[in-house]
Amino acid sequence: MLSVKRTLSALLASLMLASTLAACSSTPSDDTSDTDTTAAEETTVGETKNPNEDNLPERDFKGEEFTFLVRTELGYEFEAEDDGDVVNAAVYSRNLTLSERFKVNFKYVQQPGVWTSRATYSELITSTTLAGDDAFDIITGQSNIVLPLAVQHVYHDLANAEHVDFSKPYWKDGYHSNATVNGRLYSLMGDYAVSTIADSNVVVFNMKLFDNNKIEYPYQLVKDGKWTLDTFIELSAKFSRDVDGDGKMTAADQFGYTAYNNGLNPFIYSTGCTIFDTDDSGKRILNFPDEKEVNAFDRIFDFCATSVFANVDGAEIKAGIEGANSSERWANTFKMNHSAFTSGRLKEVEGLRDMESDFGILPYPKYDENQEDYITSVLRTVTVASLPITVKEPEKCTFLLEAMASYGFINIIPAYYEFALKGKVARDALTAEMLDIVATTTYFAFSDVFYAELGASDMLTSYILSGRKGLVSFFEAKKGTIEQKLADLLKAYAE
């Protein structure tokens, strides 16, 4: 249905290689180089080729330099030193290995590129490209900043990109199927960047509060397929209490669940809701709200209207919890044991490493037990790559991206997964099992892929904050605008 699942066997096969990374050197061995530069059909009898290796032929770029535009905040995805950190070492080794394998040089130009600096990042891309300036060969950045520029016709169409083997697990099918409109695709998402897993949305629970209340951790519920929206709501209610007894819920009290908008919206996708659909001809249509979406949204609305839930951007939390932004208040609220559950991206969960109380990680809950799989949405901040129209030989760039994505899947993602997450974040073996579920159920929503263009991705948060129950009537005022935005998007991708 919605999901872009990594093939479990492919992921596990790649993770088996992770243990070798702890001892990886800055200079690849001759054996590694020989394996990397041998095409699949040239594998000799008795040798076993990793099926997740690229099938690229030998090639000599004769020292040609390729320039990447990279956001400073995630510069480590592309440029890192071998400083003892296993993920940085893997990125460093990737650059060295591919540079030697193909006799190519990589140059990374870093610029601030998060949502608050989107205007200057976008302007840099459009001004150089539309002026015919070939400053960049490969443009990277967060999806909801890079991809919207496609309607200005600044990128090459990559739907049939040479060398890109979309059947490989290091390319994210769910993203590409949802980013393709009218047969056109202007950005690629793959394991050349760790944000493909780091931007996965998860639920986190406070083990200390569970222990204090003698409540069993939710792990078995997840494993039995019983981790549902209703179960999550029921469990959360067991923890809400007015700690200081002043008759009102403030930052001094304990909540069942705390979050901000980026933590709430993933419930849309985890419960199987989509907002947009495709008709019989394959055309994208707005199909919202159907009966299931009304039910799911209203249950979450009712839940968030109770004292069990606290919005970390609300006045009560802001008044009592330090934090310069939503993410910092989110982390501090949870670290201070003010909530039993919270939710955010794995990248944010990394920031809980210094939390004194133990915590566990879970996938988002299913709609009900009849839903076959858990669905882990990946936030629109995930890194994508596009090729500016100024690039005269785009096949060279897609050749290198194919190699980078393959190397990342085999080496960098396992390093992040096994060492940064399981080794440093996970507090117990069962959390590691939950991470396996998260990693194999990732999904990239159409409404999130086109977040900026459609303005529909934050539907759940908007509905909750409206304080007015009745999803159908709430949406009626938005429907015309979103339908027009969808029509404009379809038209732009047809020109």
Side-chain angles (χ1 to χ4, degrees), residues 266-288:
F267 283 103
I268 300 174
Y269 312 116
S270 77
T271 55
C273 301
T274 59
I275 302 178
F276 296 93
D277 208 339
T278 54
D279 61 19
D280 293 338
S281 67
K283 180 182 178 181
R284 293 285 178 178
I285 59 172
L286 178 64
N287 184 32
F288 182 88

Side-chain angles (χ1 to χ4, degrees), residues 478-493:
K478 300 177 176 289
K479 182 177 181 181
T481 300
I482 294 176
E483 284 183 330
Q484 184 58 56
K485 288 182 176 180
L486 177 60
D488 292 342
L489 176 66
L490 298 177
K491 180 180 178 181
Y493 270 63

Side-chain angles (χ1 to χ4, degrees), residues 76-134:
Y76 57 82
E77 291 188 304
F78 296 93
E79 189 174 24
E81 295 296 326
D82 188 1
D83 57 3
D85 179 271
V86 71
V87 178
N88 286 344
V91 172
Y92 176 86
S93 181
R94 189 258 324 265
N95 293 344
L96 184 61
T97 299
L98 297 187
S99 179
E100 294 183 350
R101 176 182 172 189
F102 298 120
K103 306 300 185 290
V104 64
N105 291 312
F106 297 107
K107 179 181 178 181
Y108 299 106
V109 176
Q110 297 193 24
Q111 295 291 325
V114 292
W115 189 244
T116 53
S117 55
R118 64 189 181 279
T120 53
Y121 202 77
S122 298
E123 172 63 22
L124 177 60
I125 295 170
T126 55
S127 62
T128 55
T129 305
L130 295 176
D133 184 351
D134 59 354

Side-chain angles (χ1 to χ4, degrees), residues 8 219 222-223 363 374 376 417 432-442:
L8 181 58
Y219 293 137
V222 174
K223 295 169 74 171
Y374 294 101
T376 299
Y417 184 76
E433 284 188 40
M434 298 298 106
L435 286 171
D436 289 339
I437 293 174
V438 168
T440 56
T441 58
T442 50

Side-chain angles (χ1 to χ4, degrees), residues 196-385:
T196 56
I197 186 170
D199 277 333
S200 299
N201 294 304
V202 296
V203 172
V204 188
F205 72 94
N206 186 313
M207 290 180 173
K208 178 179 180 178
L209 296 186
F210 270 74
D211 291 340
N212 289 348
N213 288 273
K214 295 181 172 55
I215 296 175
E216 186 178 352
Y217 300 157
Y219 293 137
Q220 195 60 44
L221 290 170
V222 174
K223 295 169 74 171
D224 292 341
K226 296 180 179 180
W227 179 235
T228 65
L229 181 58
D230 282 343
T231 301
F232 166 75
I233 291 173
E234 291 167 6
L235 265 179
S236 297
K238 295 179 184 294
F239 295 92
S240 181
R241 73 182 45 133
D242 180 6
V243 176
D244 59 9
D246 64 356
K248 54 186 178 181
M249 296 298 286
T250 68
D253 299 315
Q254 182 179 296
F255 300 89
Y257 175 59
T258 55
Y260 64 104
N261 64 328
N262 283 350
L264 286 171
N265 286 310
F267 283 103
I268 300 174
Y269 312 116
S270 77
T271 55
C273 301
T274 59
I275 302 178
F276 296 93
D277 208 339
T278 54
D279 61 19
D280 293 338
S281 67
K283 180 182 178 181
R284 293 285 178 178
I285 59 172
L286 178 64
N287 184 32
F288 182 88
D290 61 21
E291 181 179 353
K292 180 179 181 180
E293 286 162 335
V294 169
N295 185 275
F297 275 57
D298 280 355
R299 283 152 70 188
I300 299 169
F301 182 99
D302 289 341
F303 168 64
C304 291
T306 69
S307 60
V308 176
F309 168 73
N311 182 350
V312 300
D313 286 331
E316 296 84 359
I317 299 297
K318 281 187 174 182
I321 302 294
E322 293 184 357
N325 53 44
S326 302
S327 186
E328 288 184 11
R329 282 191 300 278
W330 165 86
N332 290 334
T333 301
F334 192 67
K335 286 180 180 180
M336 295 168 66
N337 302 313
H338 287 299
S339 65
F341 288 106
T342 190
S343 52
R345 294 170 291 162
L346 283 174
K347 183 187 301 181
E348 292 174 304
V349 176
E350 289 181 62
L352 301 177
R353 287 178 183 173
D354 61 348
M355 181 170 170
E356 184 175 341
S357 301
D358 286 336
F359 61 87
I361 300 172
L362 309 167
Y364 270 75
K366 301 189 294 183
Y367 178 76
D368 58 25
E369 290 184 37
N370 294 321
Q371 181 176 313
E372 184 177 354
D373 298 312
Y374 294 101
I375 301 170
T376 299
S377 60
V378 177
L379 195 65
R380 51 191 171 260
T381 52
V382 67
T383 298
V384 298

